[in-house]
Amino acid sequence: MYKAVGWHSQNEYMAGNSLADVMRKLQKEYPAPKRTSRGMSTQQIYSEPLKIISVKECSMDEI
């Protein structure tokens, strides 16, 4: 299980079974603008940088 979470807020943006699954869902949910300028970054698409974390199917106290 993988989750895309906000770098600062830890908000969960998307979850999926694999890394590719999360990326695919993110692209569907937040499509990139059709025309992008060279300076365009993901900052304009998402409100903050995202990181994708691996989530083990276990309780948190085991970690």
Side-chain angles (χ1 to χ4, degrees):
M1 182 85 172
Y2 290 86
K3 288 183 181 176
V5 295
W7 195 265
H8 305 293
S9 67
Q10 300 296 312
N11 288 342
E12 189 179 316
Y13 283 80
M14 201 60 64
N17 299 323
S18 69
L19 208 54
D21 196 28
V22 174
M23 295 301 284
R24 205 168 28 248
K25 288 179 178 177
L26 276 173
Q27 287 172 341
K28 269 193 189 142
E29 192 71 29
Y30 302 96
K34 295 288 176 256
R35 292 176 59 109
T36 58
S37 63
R38 280 189 178 276
M40 182 90 173
S41 72
T42 54
Q43 293 284 38
Q44 278 88 3
I45 302 172
Y46 313 110
S47 54
E48 61 182 327
L50 300 185
K51 57 184 173 182
I52 295 182
I53 55 171
S54 176
V55 183
K56 279 205 284 192
E57 299 289 336
C58 64
S59 58
M60 294 302 280
D61 57 6
E62 290 178 24
I63 299 171

